[in-house]
Amino acid sequence: MKIMFVIPKMTGGGAERVVANLCNYWCEDNDVRIVAIASRESFYKLNRKVELCGRELIINRKNFLTTLECYLKNYSKSVRFIKKNIEEFNPDCVISFLVEADLLTYRAVRKNKDVIKVFSERNDPTKRGIVKRLLLKTVYKNADLFVCQGRKVYDYYSYIQNNKKIIIPNPLDEKVLPSPTFDELNHNIVSIGRLFEQKNFRLLINSFTISVKEIPEDSNLIIYGNGPMRKDLQELINKNGMEKRIELRGACKNVLNEAKNAALFVLSSNYEGFPNALVEAMAVGLPVISTDFYTGIAKELVKEQNGIITPVNNASEMSEALIKIMGDKALRKKMRKNNILVRGEFNIDKIGDLWIDAIKGKMI
């Protein structure tokens, strides 16, 4: 089978990691091409059998309007770029990831009856404005296959026929995951994500500040990631007097190798689709705290035996969870042992085959 992915870029991010993992798995038995609308490089390592065709397009991601403006200015060129790749590659199916790509891909393939059209929800659909929702409704209703990451999002898209919808969680590729650690080597608390509003690192910084006197003295908070809020977050750290206890360490390609020796991982997001960072942290054995964001994935993943769920944007309850887990080494050890089990549940072989089976089902 010939599979073509369309995505805005491959320069880092959760959706991009999923694309890389799936393509690296599929390329052994299929021809795979990634079409990146705004980048020619991949942050994630790709198998040499995976083709990456990209354009250089500078995107101003200050907010949705500036991002949309950049794409609109290049709309026709981007649609032609996608069509050109379809003509050259002649795929059996085209899979679009992320909203900007969805709108462009739909325009490029809507009249093409020779390809399976696959779209996928990668985030919280309730966080989009009415205009974007209406545009995407037209796109998604015309999908041959629509992939959701959890039951709540599946139910949200009631206007899509059930025989066109499927739930497929994100995969874990054990080939690129570091080996799990059963014993913590330090008392650090870690978090991973882009430094922007969705991830709500303000909540994590304030929660750590509240709890700092009741957790081990050698516990530091380390946040991995880059983004436009770095200056604001550093100012908050300074304001809280936490310069010696909280570090913004920036992006790191081998971040799980560094993070896995910590005592705890925290996801403080306001909203998420399927949080790769949370699942990967569990896969390397880290106890976890996560906010209870709308899509419900956190509650599906995190139970009493492997972590704690706290309300979105509630510093008091998050600080209590920090104190509880950091104050109980036996609890952390039990959580480590339980969390490693996600490796089997979300194995790339299992998840990759779910995608292939679903696509082949639309070819009959």
Side-chain angles (χ1 to χ4, degrees), residues 242-253:
M242 290 287 110
E243 301 95 322
K244 294 182 179 180
R245 301 290 297 272
I246 303 176
E247 180 183 355
L248 303 178
R249 194 164 286 185
C252 176
K253 280 200 172 185

Side-chain angles (χ1 to χ4, degrees), residues 271-286:
Y271 60 96
E272 288 282 348
F274 190 99
N276 295 311
L278 177 64
V279 181
E280 290 174 353
M282 295 170 71
V284 297
L286 286 170

